[in-house]
Amino acid sequence: MGIVIRYLCLSMRKFYRAGAISAETAVSPESIHVKRNLFSRRLLQFGWVVSVDGERYYLVEDEIKKRPLAWLGITRFLYFIRS
C-alpha cells in the first residue's frame, strides 16, 4: 500500500511543480511525464486531479489540503529544495 501512496504523491507533485493548479494552467499528463493508468484514474476518483477537456488536467489544492499527509507528500520535496 505504501508504494501506491508514494506513486500518487509523486504524480501529484509533478502537477504541482508544473503549476497546474487551475483550469487555466492545466497540462496534459504526457507533458509532465505522468502515465495514464490505474493510479491517475485513482487521482480523478479522489477528486485531487480534475480534467478540463479530457486531455488536460490540474491539481485541486483545496481537496488535497484536507488530507495533510497527502499535502506533505507533495510539498515536502519542494521544502528541501528551497532550504
Side-chain angles (χ1 to χ4, degrees):
M1 186 65 170
I3 293 172
V4 172
I5 293 169
R6 176 78 174 143
Y7 186 81
L8 292 175
C9 285
L10 287 174
S11 298
M12 289 187 295
R13 183 182 299 158
K14 289 180 181 182
F15 280 100
Y16 188 75
R17 292 183 75 190
I21 55 172
S22 69
E24 294 80 28
T25 59
V27 296
S28 69
E30 291 80 17
S31 68
I32 57 172
H33 307 288
V34 173
K35 295 179 182 178
R36 295 179 193 232
N37 56 20
L38 173 67
F39 297 111
S40 58
R41 285 193 300 266
R42 183 67 74 186
L43 291 174
L44 290 168
Q45 288 175 348
F46 288 154
W48 293 348
V49 173
V50 176
S51 172
V52 175
D53 54 11
E55 293 298 318
R56 298 182 311 128
Y57 299 85
Y58 69 94
L59 195 65
V60 183
E61 283 185 89
D62 295 334
E63 285 298 316
I64 298 168
K65 286 181 180 178
K66 292 178 185 176
R67 305 289 301 256
L69 289 178
W71 183 245
L72 180 65
I74 295 169
T75 58
R76 178 186 58 185
F77 181 70
L78 297 175
Y79 172 76
F80 290 118
I81 289 176
R82 292 180 185 158
S83 305

